[in-house]
Amino acid sequence: MMMLRLLHFRMTTGWLLFLAAASTAAFSPSAHAWSNHALGTWQALASADEVANAAPVRVEGLDAFLAAEGPALERLLDAEESWARSNVPHYPARPAALAFKADGSAPEMRRRFIAALRINPASRLTLFMQVRPGTAVPASAAMPRSEVTTVGQRDDHNKAAFLRLHEGDLVTPLDVTATASDEPDFGLDIGIWADNGTGYGRQYGFGKQPFGNPALEFSSQAPMHMGFFHEQWIVYKAAPFLLRTYPEYRIHLYQTLARHALRSGHPYWGWRFAGWALHYVQDLTQPYHARVVPGVGTATLLWTNSLALLGMTTQKEHAITLVSNRHQALENYQVRRMRDAYARKDDKDALLLAARDATDDKRYPRYTDAAVRASITQQSHAAADATDAALERGIPPKYISDPDYVMTASGSDVDLYALVSAGPQAARDEMTTLVAGLMKNFGIHSRLFIRALAEGAQAGAN
Ligand SMILES: [Zn+2]
């Protein structure tokens, strides 16, 4: 009862600001859900025959794909918009003017396709492949980062190397899908909201950025890459903008394009769109992407906010710094450990083994649209408190429990994997258990998603 009265009283901008700030913190500029998705995808799908054993495919440019499938894509994207309007809660409808029309020159078709998907028009969408750490790329074949992503060098967690592809090259579906599973973090969802100061953001019809700082370039992608579907009802009541997260829209859109491309004889784009969809599925396996403030109960949030309203803002600021530091600490450890294992060609590393571990796949039902809420985020949200607590035991306190330390600014300078590895055995075990557990879920949901997609792609023509 006390809580309910408090709730009523606290539906104020202070409470809103706290949650908004916490959501921003949880997605600070250098943080992705998983800093390099491909490192996990290569492992996860190595044990999915649908991809791992699929024959190599010929690389095809986007313009060729659009020229061949234009009229079919008109119908497909119209049907997809209807689906989204009926099935995605709080869906911001696509303005009619953005509907895809298959006429005009190749650049015009491309422009219309990008507008119909409502992605950043500067998205590179070039032909490239990410290579595994430890694999040398000859300088003549290397693809500069700027031709792959619109996101600048601040993305220092992701020291990936890219190979330039050409139309007609043969590539494996595994490499195409793994590479594409990073691509939504390469600027596709940046600047798409009405208040991001971009012309396209004003046209796309998504409305104002639900949370985060609209002036911070990278925070604008967060509402597409997070899914706050399991907060307590009072949290939504107090902060309704948290209902506006749309990974389900992105997943279904790219899954639909992938199926169509696979069915219609464009396997390169089939696997590439599949990788795009997979990115959002994988993001949602990260507990800090499925819960607003892991480790902090609703009552504490309310109390913290009450203090802030009385002018005592320190506790609030500390809470925001800590959730941001922990989010990044988890990724810092994960990406460094996995990159290190690839570089040493150690495929027995616990994280790589966990991502490949398919023994529990059969315990889950086949992937359906409902799985995003009922299974994937249900699991990651439920794991959020334990994840937060495990980080407290596994990572030196300076990086996750000291509110005066801000990892946002300096996280790239810290190698938490090296630090933990040089520390006590108990902390090493804690981190291995924690991150291997999360990587196992990452692998399971990646395979379930790809399996359902591949089955759907075989089930007859459009
Ligand atoms: Zn993401």
Side-chain angles (χ1 to χ4, degrees):
M1 277 311 288
M2 181 62 186
M3 181 93 102
L4 288 179
R5 247 178 279 127
L6 250 179
L7 156 72
H8 223 72
F9 187 63
R10 293 302 167 210
M11 276 190 233
T12 61
T13 46
W15 170 233
L16 294 176
L17 285 174
F18 175 67
L19 279 172
S23 316
T24 316
F27 211 90
S28 48
S30 64
H32 302 127
W34 301 112
S35 291
N36 183 317
H37 286 245
L39 300 182
T41 307
W42 273 311
Q43 301 302 319
L45 300 187
S47 45
D49 294 344
E50 294 83 349
V51 180
N53 297 334
V57 299
R58 293 235 174 253
V59 174
E60 181 185 28
L62 179 60
D63 296 334
F65 170 67
L66 295 179
E69 292 301 316
L73 291 174
E74 271 187 27
R75 295 188 295 276
L76 190 83
L77 291 172
D78 271 350
E80 182 60 20
E81 176 64 13
S82 302
W83 178 88
R85 290 185 190 192
S86 317
N87 292 282
V88 178
H90 312 283
Y91 178 67
R94 188 190 65 192
L98 300 181
F100 181 65
K101 290 280 176 291
D103 52 19
S105 62
E108 178 60 12
M109 290 262 275
R110 178 185 279 249
R111 190 194 66 74
R112 290 177 185 208
F113 184 67
I114 284 170
L117 303 188
R118 294 193 279 179
I119 59 173
N120 176 3
S123 301
R124 303 295 187 237
L125 309 180
T126 45
L127 301 175
F128 68 97
M129 195 178 92
Q130 190 172 154
V131 296
R132 300 178 192 223
T135 307
V137 180
S140 59
M143 183 91 152
R145 201 176 165 76
S146 61
E147 289 184 42
V148 167
T149 172
T150 69
V151 181
Q153 284 304 328
R154 74 179 119 164
D155 181 14
D156 42 22
H157 275 198
N158 192 343
K159 296 191 169 70
F162 303 102
L163 194 70
R164 186 183 302 280
L165 296 180
H166 305 274
E167 287 191 283
D169 286 351
L170 275 174
V171 283
T172 66
L174 180 58
D175 277 333
V176 176
T177 311
T179 298
S181 72
D182 262 328
E183 208 171 352
D185 276 345
F186 292 170
L188 270 59
D189 291 321
I190 285 178
I192 57 176
W193 307 95
D195 52 348
N196 288 155
T198 63
Y200 57 98
R202 282 189 288 276
Q203 290 165 9
Y204 278 180
F206 285 128
K208 290 189 173 169
Q209 188 176 317
F211 50 82
N213 181 351
L216 260 181
E217 185 193 37
F218 209 70
S219 87
S220 64
Q221 77 166 36
M224 291 288 168
H225 296 238
M226 301 177 121
F228 298 135
F229 303 134
H230 301 282
E231 301 299 324
Q232 291 191 35
W233 67 270
I234 55 169
V235 172
Y236 297 122
K237 193 89 178 151
F241 54 84
L242 292 174
L243 292 163
R244 293 171 57 218
T245 56
Y246 302 114
E248 292 161 296
Y249 159 55
R250 287 300 195 217
I251 291 168
H252 198 275
L253 174 63
Y254 298 145
Q255 178 192 41
T256 301
L257 285 166
R259 274 196 187 126
H260 175 81
L262 288 171
R263 283 175 183 170
S264 58
H266 302 276
Y268 172 78
W269 280 99
W271 294 116
R272 187 150 169 185
F273 289 132
W276 290 10
L278 193 57
H279 175 95
Y280 300 85
V281 169
Q282 294 169 342
D283 269 356
L284 295 177
T285 66
Q286 217 278 36
Y288 287 87
H289 275 238
R291 179 150 169 195
V292 181
V293 194
V296 178
T298 306
T300 307
L301 279 182
L302 287 164
W303 175 242
T304 301
N305 186 64
S306 303
L307 293 178
L309 287 175
L310 295 170
M312 292 176 266
T313 56
T314 313
Q315 192 172 330
K316 180 179 90 174
E317 283 154 16
H318 285 180
I320 291 168
T321 302
L322 294 186
V323 74
S324 169
N325 286 355
R326 287 169 187 210
H327 183 155
Q328 293 191 64
L330 177 58
E331 294 176 19
N332 182 302
Y333 176 91
Q334 169 260 336
V335 74
R336 279 166 175 74
R337 178 161 176 173
M338 290 180 82
R339 205 163 54 208
D340 190 63
Y342 273 88
R344 287 185 289 106
K345 307 231 184 295
D346 173 16
D347 66 356
K348 296 284 187 292
D349 178 82
L351 270 47
L352 272 49
L353 278 174
R356 289 202 304 276
D357 181 0
T359 49
D360 283 349
D361 288 13
K362 54 186 174 300
R363 294 176 51 199
Y364 291 75
R366 182 177 182 276
Y367 175 89
T368 62
D369 300 335
V372 172
R373 286 176 194 245
S375 176
I376 302 168
T377 54
Q378 202 281 331
Q379 184 179 55
S380 50
H381 181 273
D385 282 347
T387 299
D388 202 67
L391 286 173
E392 282 182 359
R393 295 188 296 268
I395 300 279
K398 173 186 169 184
Y399 301 100
I400 54 150
S401 297
D402 177 2
D404 292 327
Y405 174 79
V406 178
M407 191 174 274
T408 311
S410 55
S412 55
D413 309 331
V414 183
D415 182 341
L416 288 180
Y417 174 51
L419 220 85
V420 169
S421 300
Q425 184 68 42
R428 297 201 314 253
D429 293 347
E430 189 75 59
M431 288 306 292
T432 297
T433 305
L434 168 68
V435 187
L438 295 173
M439 276 297 120
K440 185 172 172 182
N441 295 340
F442 174 105
I444 290 169
H445 294 297
S446 295
R447 285 185 295 276
L448 291 173
F449 177 78
I450 286 291
R451 261 179 212 139
L453 193 155
E455 281 169 23
Q458 285 162 359
N462 268 319

